[in-house]
Amino acid sequence: MSSEALWALGRGNGIVALAFMTLSVVLGIGVRSGRPLFTLPRFGIADVHRFVALAATLLVALHMGLLFMDPYAKLRLIDFV
């Protein structure tokens, strides 16, 4: 894969991960409020919150992996720690 493709995938994946993390926080607040939102019952919001949080975690891990392989970023293992 070319370095331009890795750069674009890494940055784009980071933006999607940020959107998923934001949505996870909003849904978490909705779960704690105890009210149904968007015609979903409370347990439905909790299930969507869990799925979005897991997807956000996986997207962040993929983002870190893509940046580790990106020759433009030149990140080392210590940078992730």
Side-chain angles (χ1 to χ4, degrees), residues 27-78:
L27 288 171
I29 292 169
V31 167
R32 293 294 296 164
S33 73
R35 293 179 285 148
L37 297 173
F38 308 119
T39 68
L40 280 176
R42 185 174 174 198
F43 70 88
I45 295 172
D47 286 343
V48 173
H49 168 66
R50 281 190 206 111
F51 172 76
V52 170
L54 178 62
T57 303
L58 295 175
L59 285 169
V60 167
L62 181 63
H63 173 65
M64 290 172 58
L66 286 170
L67 288 181
F68 185 69
M69 294 186 300
D70 187 8
Y72 181 74
K74 294 180 182 137
L75 294 177
R76 299 170 304 192
L77 190 58
I78 193 71

